[in-house]
Amino acid sequence: MKHCYKLLVFYTLFLMTTNWALSQAINGYDKAAYDIPMRDGVHLHTIVYSPKDLSQPYPILMQRTPYSAGPYGPGNMKNKLGPSQFLMNDGYIFVYQDVRGRWMSEGSYDNMRPTLSKSERNSNQIDESTDTYDTIEWLLANIKNHNEKVGLWGISYPGFYSAAALPFAHPNLKAVSPQAPIGDFYFDDFHHNGAYLLSYWLATSVFGYQKDGPTQEAWYGMVNPETNDGYQFFMDMGPLKNADKWYGEDNFFWQQLKNNPDYNAFWQKRSIIPHLKEVKPAVLTVGGWFDAEDLYGPLTIYKTIEKNNPETYNTIVMGPWSHGDWSREPGSQVISNIYFGDSISTWYQKNIERVFFNHFLKESENSNPALPEAYMFDTGKHKWEKFDDWPPKESQWKSFYFQEKGELTEVTPEGNRFTTYVSDPSNPVPYSQDIKLNFTPRKYMADDQRFAARRPDVLTFTSEVLSQDMTLAGEVMANLKVATSQTDADWVVKIIDIFPGDQPNHAYVLDGVDMGNYHLMVRSEVIRGRYRESFEFPKPFVPDQITAVDFRLQDLFHTFKKGHKIQIQIQSTWFPLIDRNPQKYVQNIFEAEEADFVKATHRVFHTEKFASKIEVMVLP
Ligand code: PG9
């Protein structure tokens, strides 16, 4: 209890000083609003905060957002998504812009607007890159006392707009920081390998209200859930098609999601990943290992820029954060029950983000700042490490095979066996023991998974007690050999760090949480089995035919300490994080009927010929 009391005092004092510092800093700025003309005549509403002190020229640091640059959202610098106190004190011309078609800007909005190819750029067509280019041109010509250099940053959707400025970037755009950027909506936010993130349902409303529409609170009220028990709410709702009553026809997200269940051209042309070539600005990508919304985006954007642009300054930071935590300072960084330390966000803002922008926008763009290629937080040791590459060149691939009796070993299985379970959509595995009907599930990714391990419809494969530390650093592949009695199924793989049963309540948890036998989830992912061969062309299973299901989990950096065990959990429902698979193949699950939802008997094979395993990258 004393720890919590101490925390409360620290946090209160911290808030008071930060708010005072923030108000002092904001007082040092003049605010002006402009409607900037784009090449096609559309005007984008842009707010500019200029330092009152004119004794020196300042770089421009911009954010483009769909969440309102003005009074409604982060544009009013007091908002938590404003710049850090360090950048404000260092002095920049801060710019916030409503993207095309949002809030006070003209034009029509397009969800993850497709990026123009090189050939398309000679016409009068526009995309987010051309809008950023035109905005920079106008700012350099019309805003006083700048130093000719421009930076761009943003978190989540604004992170996408940062990355979307990289193709054919303006020559004065010198530093870009996509933070928790959406890379591709089929693998970020609403989908995970074809499964729909049902728990993310309120997120589709975030665009359902604007300056003249219902507020989010009013919209939430319209939903008027009788209970805040998210599991029961979505069980009562039944098949996805019943969600129509919650979403208005104007909820374009919902219309796009249900009309495009496969990775078709609609989603493919909205991905920024294929366009990350000829990148000229320096890039600092930021993400959180426990980001339930955008984890594919930061990792894939960093790796793609690295692959396509070996000469470009391109770095990544991955901390012990959920979505956007690094822009806020909670005092103590906690995910679920796990306490990772104090002032981690402030440390990052001061020692990484500030160093990056000051170097390229205030100092010399011809040298590199004193930052590593990859600044990564080990979520097992609870400490930062610097790497020259990510994934680390020194990491080696290692296979862990599923065995009979629920063992997990490094040797290929013998014998001719499988493990079976019945997956029942009317009794799905909860994704957490605390499922509230809130905006999005932000903290489940480090939950204790003991409750799941004890269910008959969750398979567990567990290693021996580790005789020494083992650090997983890099990518993860799941290679399953499965069969189902039906014609479709979801396959969820969870990587669990099992703490020793006699584990004392050590410093790494909140007071009052006993870590003895805690099953800490360190990575998890799902694939909708119909997409095992192609996300664009789904394919049913042949009942009871042994089938390979191979898919990538997102990277991790986690030390499993000596005395711990590694456990793999396999299940076919994960509710209501994702929607339920009827397990009877239907063309579009968003249109499935109640009768389509059937029990299925699944088998996971562990034989010499059909060996199921996970492949991980391990530091020597
Ligand atoms: N990536 C998050 C999001 C995308 C779309 C709808 C709602 C949320 C985000 O921008 O926070």
Side-chain angles (χ1 to χ4, degrees):
M1 205 42 205
K2 72 181 166 10
H3 183 60
C4 295
Y5 176 70
K6 220 171 45 174
L7 272 184
L8 187 66
V9 171
F10 166 80
Y11 189 44
T12 310
L13 285 173
F14 182 86
L15 266 188
M16 285 166 62
T17 44
T18 309
N19 285 337
W20 177 81
L22 206 49
S23 59
Q24 295 306 306
I26 290 176
N27 294 338
Y29 285 83
D30 287 327
K31 180 176 176 179
Y34 305 93
D35 292 314
I36 298 178
M38 299 296 106
R39 61 188 64 182
D40 63 342
V42 162
H43 291 80
L44 301 189
H45 190 66
T46 308
I47 301 202
V48 178
Y49 295 87
S50 303
K52 288 174 175 160
D53 166 15
L54 300 178
S55 62
Q56 58 170 309
Y58 299 96
I60 291 169
L61 186 53
M62 176 157 69
Q63 177 174 138
R64 306 186 68 242
T65 177
Y67 300 128
S68 174
Y72 307 94
N76 52 22
M77 296 241 271
K78 294 189 182 69
N79 184 287
K80 63 182 179 311
L81 291 185
S84 78
Q85 57 185 310
F86 304 104
L87 292 172
M88 290 179 71
N89 293 332
D90 288 343
Y92 281 81
I93 297 169
F94 293 105
V95 174
Y96 286 87
Q97 184 175 68
D98 288 337
V99 295
R100 186 181 285 260
R102 294 290 296 157
W103 301 94
M104 314 286 273
S105 280
E106 298 172 348
S108 61
Y109 171 75
D110 193 351
N111 193 14
M112 289 278 282
R113 187 184 306 278
T115 298
L116 296 171
S117 67
K118 202 165 198 168
S119 59
E120 290 166 333
R121 286 182 181 278
N122 302 325
S123 65
N124 207 15
Q125 291 193 59
I126 57 92
D127 67 2
E128 299 305 339
S129 170
T130 65
D131 279 353
T132 310
Y133 191 104
D134 295 348
T135 301
I136 291 173
E137 275 290 275
W138 189 92
L139 290 170
L140 294 174
N142 292 279
I143 298 299
K144 293 183 175 50
N145 204 40
H146 61 72
N147 73 349
E148 300 293 336
K149 293 181 179 181
V150 181
L152 185 63
W153 74 291
I155 297 174
S156 205
Y157 219 132
F160 159 70
Y161 290 114
S162 303
L166 291 170
F168 312 98
H170 191 285
N172 291 63
L173 182 60
K174 300 297 183 188
V176 176
S177 184
Q179 302 182 10
I182 312 166
D184 184 326
F185 258 156
Y186 206 75
F187 304 97
D188 279 313
D189 290 298
F190 297 97
H191 297 100
H192 275 236
N193 295 327
Y196 167 58
L197 250 67
L198 180 57
S199 53
Y200 208 46
W201 74 311
L202 272 179
T204 61
S205 69
V206 75
F207 289 74
Y209 60 91
Q210 284 218 51
K211 49 191 178 300
D212 51 5
T215 64
Q216 180 171 359
E217 290 67 27
W219 191 92
Y220 193 73
M222 283 190 291
V223 168
N224 187 24
E226 293 71 34
T227 163
N228 197 20
D229 175 341
Y231 187 97
Q232 194 59 49
F233 177 82
F234 285 111
M235 282 307 288
D236 294 346
M237 183 182 84
L240 273 182
K241 62 186 304 191
N242 295 341
D244 274 338
K245 64 175 178 254
W246 305 122
Y247 297 127
E249 276 307 312
D250 70 334
N251 188 317
F252 61 84
F253 263 121
W254 180 240
Q255 306 308 326
Q256 289 172 356
L257 286 162
K258 67 179 190 176
N259 297 335
N260 302 282
D262 307 333
Y263 191 46
N264 60 10
F266 176 85
W267 297 115
Q268 290 175 34
K269 68 184 181 184
R270 282 163 170 74
S271 174
I272 188 60
I273 304 302
H275 301 279
L276 297 172
K277 301 171 188 138
E278 299 176 55
V279 169
K280 297 288 182 289
V283 183
L284 168 71
T285 297
V286 183
W289 287 126
F290 302 101
D291 190 325
E293 299 181 45
D294 301 301
L295 182 53
Y296 168 88
L299 291 166
T300 309
I301 284 173
Y302 163 74
K303 292 181 194 175
T304 306
I305 293 174
E306 198 64 20
K307 179 164 66 84
N308 297 340
N309 311 270
E311 301 311 312
T312 299
Y313 179 91
N314 176 49
T315 56
I316 185 168
V317 182
M318 293 295 290
W321 296 308
S322 64
H323 196 58
D325 283 353
W326 51 91
S327 66
R328 303 176 277 269
E329 183 46 80
S332 289
Q333 178 60 27
V334 175
I335 302 287
S336 187
N337 296 307
I338 311 300
Y339 160 68
F340 288 101
D342 289 333
S343 307
I344 295 179
S345 300
T346 302
W347 180 86
Y348 147 79
Q349 292 167 8
K350 181 178 180 186
N351 297 290
I352 302 179
E353 184 183 74
R354 176 199 200 183
V355 171
F356 170 75
F357 280 122
N358 282 357
H359 179 86
F360 288 104
L361 301 179
K362 288 173 170 260
E363 295 151 21
S364 153
E365 62 190 274
N366 302 319
S367 63
N368 285 346
L371 290 173
E373 174 77 12
Y375 231 140
M376 310 303 251
F377 192 91
D378 183 330
T379 54
K381 284 184 180 169
H382 291 202
K383 61 192 281 247
W384 289 99
E385 299 288 355
K386 299 176 183 177
F387 291 99
D388 296 334
D389 313 271
W390 186 268
K393 279 208 168 35
E394 55 271 37
S395 281
Q396 286 141 23
W397 282 102
K398 196 185 275 271
S399 293
F400 285 93
Y401 293 90
F402 303 174
Q403 304 285 354
E404 261 185 276
K405 302 194 206 74
E407 294 159 347
L408 185 73
T409 72
E410 294 182 49
V411 293
T412 48
E414 289 152 9
N416 197 13
R417 296 295 304 149
F418 55 82
T419 308
T420 186
Y421 61 100
V422 173
S423 171
D424 177 359
S426 66
N427 178 22
V429 182
Y431 77 84
S432 173
Q433 289 181 290
D434 174 21
I435 300 174
K436 291 285 177 288
L437 195 64
N438 56 13
F439 184 69
T440 59
R442 286 188 182 259
K443 297 285 187 184
Y444 77 93
M445 291 173 76
D447 270 0
D448 188 338
Q449 297 296 316
R450 252 174 295 194
F451 77 93
R454 293 163 181 166
R455 278 183 62 116
D457 53 356
V458 177
L459 300 189
T460 62
F461 298 93
T462 309
S463 74
E464 292 291 312
V465 173
L466 297 179
S467 57
Q468 58 187 15
D469 288 5
M470 179 182 290
T471 301
L472 273 56
E475 300 178 339
V476 184
M477 278 300 295
N479 305 120
L480 308 181
K481 299 291 184 298
V482 297
T484 172
S485 59
Q486 290 293 340
T487 49
D488 196 8
D490 292 345
W491 306 94
V492 177
V493 173
K494 296 151 55 176
I495 301 179
I496 311 290
D497 179 354
I498 296 182
F499 283 61
D502 58 356
Q503 178 76 32
N505 182 351
H506 61 76
Y508 286 163
V509 289
L510 285 177
D511 278 357
V513 173
D514 182 346
M515 287 304 283
N517 197 32
Y518 196 99
H519 286 45
L520 169 63
M521 185 158 76
V522 293
R523 184 58 67 236
S524 53
E525 190 54 278
V526 59
I527 186 167
R528 182 137 289 172
R530 60 173 58 201
Y531 298 115
R532 63 194 177 281
E533 293 181 13
S534 158
F535 289 113
E536 185 172 6
F537 304 109
K539 184 175 174 183
F541 286 82
V542 174
D544 294 323
Q545 183 177 83
I546 299 179
T547 310
V549 176
D550 301 324
F551 65 105
R552 198 167 74 91
L553 283 73
Q554 298 309 331
D555 300 7
L556 81 168
F557 178 33
H558 186 87
T559 294
F560 292 77
K561 293 188 171 178
K562 177 182 172 189
H564 290 222
K565 291 186 275 191
I566 303 174
Q567 180 177 83
I568 305 299
Q569 292 186 0
I570 305 290
Q571 60 200 63
S572 290
T573 50
W574 207 14
F575 194 78
L577 183 70
I578 58 171
D579 66 314
R580 295 168 303 146
N581 189 320
Q583 303 189 128
K584 174 186 158 200
Y585 187 88
V586 294
Q587 204 50 47
N588 181 353
I589 292 178
F590 287 88
E591 295 163 5
E593 303 290 349
E594 193 69 55
D596 295 324
F597 289 78
V598 294
K599 283 187 192 178
T601 301
H602 299 332
R603 289 181 288 165
V604 175
F605 288 82
H606 30 78
T607 73
E608 200 168 342
K609 188 177 176 197
F610 302 106
S612 296
K613 62 183 165 64
I614 63 152
E615 293 181 316
V616 292
M617 297 179 81
V618 180
L619 279 180

